[in-house]
Amino acid sequence: MKITTFNPQIITKNADSLVKFFEELGFEKRHDQKDIGEHKVEAIRMKDQNGFYLDISAPDFPFEKDIVGIRMNVDDFDEAYKLLTEHGFRNIYGDNTAETRTSRSAVMVSPSGYAINLVQHIKNN
């Protein structure tokens, strides 16, 4: 398994206010995809002038407070998913994944509470 992207991510109910805050810090919205998967996730990718990336996700399901974690893109989703579950991570979507025609993802939470949003981009060969 190869990691292709590794950066911070915030999962929130208040994406608009977070985007505005990070824009004030110098980040620009690079990508905004809506209605991903059954939980209708909005996925926002931001980047600053130094090349730092931040992802903000807003799923449509109940949770108490923002979740701060890491976005980790990999070249083999199944291998990474297996490795994380072997280390006690649980998928907040149950057994489901959030899928589009170009990606597959699952937010995995560690036993101690930090999250990794596991993502694989699907390439059309």
Side-chain angles (χ1 to χ4, degrees), residues 1-103:
M1 171 196 70
K2 177 182 171 188
I3 295 173
T4 58
T5 303
F6 198 83
N7 61 267
Q9 181 167 24
I10 302 170
I11 301 166
T12 185
K13 297 176 198 172
N14 303 305
D16 292 339
S17 64
L18 278 177
V19 167
K20 184 177 179 182
F21 171 70
F22 281 99
E23 285 174 338
E24 290 176 22
L25 291 174
F27 283 80
E28 294 179 2
K29 200 186 276 193
R30 307 287 290 190
H31 179 72
D32 188 355
Q33 191 171 8
K34 298 180 191 280
D35 295 328
I36 301 170
E38 80 176 69
H39 295 291
K40 306 294 183 200
V41 177
E42 179 179 8
I44 301 161
R45 187 141 174 89
M46 301 185 80
K47 183 179 179 182
D48 78 352
Q49 66 271 13
N50 296 308
F52 294 116
Y53 283 93
L54 168 69
D55 288 284
I56 298 172
S57 295
D60 184 22
F61 66 83
F63 56 98
E64 274 185 50
K65 56 186 176 177
D66 290 354
I67 300 168
V68 177
I70 300 164
R71 172 185 169 148
M72 184 172 77
N73 286 25
V74 295
D75 66 344
D76 187 329
F77 183 91
D78 294 327
E79 181 182 1
Y81 189 92
K82 182 176 185 260
L83 178 68
L84 291 172
T85 57
E86 287 173 352
H87 285 273
F89 283 76
R90 66 175 177 72
N91 182 348
I92 67 170
Y93 302 136
D95 292 328
N96 296 322
T97 57
E99 297 187 30
T100 70
R101 63 178 182 76
T102 61
S103 68

